[in-house]
Amino acid sequence: QKEVEQNSGPLSVPEGAIASLNCTYSDRGSQSFFWYRQYSGKSPELIMSIYSNGDKEDGRFTAQLNKASQYVSLLIRDSQPSDSATYLCAVITNRDDKIIFGKGTRLHILP
Amino acid sequence: DAGVTQSPTHLIKTRGQQVTLRCSPKSGHDTVSWYQQALGQGPQFIFQYYEEEERQRGNFPDRFSGHQFPNYSSELNVNALLLGDSALYLCASSLWGASSYEQYFGPGTRLTVT
């Protein structure tokens, strides 16, 4: 089992709809989780960090963490074409306190 | 407020050569991390520097080494280059502590090894 898994996509979502991106991780004791957005040819940009179970909202973005089920998700409300990018999930492993990135999910917002 | 800067933007090297990549962190940041990103993959953590010491290291061979200077800028050195070292090398800066992985990334250096 890979340490951080994401569906590579592409995930196609109509403009204005909710985009739901999922990430699972293998190290049960992990405590810190991040979502980064990466536009094609650009470097990653931090969107959200989440450390506690439950939801964390920031504008149109909501991160959801469920440590018991070992998954973290990112919801994007009112999706815009400018949200089309690759979304990277990153986890700080409990085992050795190092950051592991998933391969990313490509999101395509359909105008 | 200057963000994270990296140089050079692109680099072409021959197998067996050595390369040095440079990074200046965002103003106010004291921690620098380096990543290797192959096409279609997520960034892979190489190492993290704080107070001029390597604090964390990923699963990379000793051919990869680094340095942090008193002004917090950093270098990544790769010796005996292999074709497989061709990738985008990203530098990220942050503040040391619980949020040291809430990072700002630089634009990256594209390294091609022929």
Side-chain angles (χ1 to χ4, degrees), chain B residues 8-12 108-111:
Chain B
T9 306
H10 295 88
L11 204 52
I12 300 175
T109 294
R110 174 73 61 186
L111 173 65

Side-chain angles (χ1 to χ4, degrees), chain B residues 26-92:
Chain B
K26 178 179 168 62
S27 178
H29 283 180
D30 56 12
T31 302
V32 173
S33 302
W34 286 93
Y35 296 84
Q36 180 193 69
Q37 188 174 26
L39 204 60
Q41 303 292 316
Q44 278 197 284
F45 175 70
I46 303 175
F47 40 54
Q48 184 180 72
Y49 277 85
Y50 169 67
E51 289 189 334
E52 302 178 51
E53 289 188 15
E54 184 183 289
R55 300 292 178 160
Q56 285 275 6
R57 188 179 182 92
N59 296 326
F60 279 80
D62 292 344
R63 298 187 298 110
F64 290 77
S65 63
H67 190 77
Q68 186 180 33
F69 299 94
N71 67 352
Y72 308 117
S73 67
S74 177
E75 289 182 349
L76 164 66
N77 300 291
V78 187
N79 295 322
L81 284 167
L82 303 174
L83 297 179
D85 294 332
S86 295
L88 178 67
Y89 287 85
L90 295 162
C91 166

Side-chain angles (χ1 to χ4, degrees), chain A residues 34 36 38 42-46 49 51 88 92 96-99 101-103, chain B residues 35 37 40-43 45 56-58 90 98-99 101-103 105-107:
Chain A
F34 308 89
Y36 284 84
Q38 187 171 26
K42 302 294 185 182
S43 57
E45 172 191 12
L46 180 66
S49 58
Y51 304 97
L88 298 161
I92 308 300
D96 53 15
D97 205 30
K98 295 178 185 175
I99 188 168
F101 279 83
K103 290 186 176 182
Chain B
Y35 296 84
Q37 188 174 26
Q41 303 292 316
F45 175 70
Q56 285 275 6
R57 188 179 182 92
L90 295 162
S99 59
Y101 286 112
E102 293 184 4
Q103 305 166 108
F105 280 85

Side-chain angles (χ1 to χ4, degrees), chain A residues 62-76:
Chain A
T62 299
Q64 299 176 317
L65 175 60
N66 184 323
K67 291 182 181 179
S69 300
Q70 294 174 239
Y71 83 78
V72 55
S73 61
L74 180 70
L75 301 179
I76 307 174

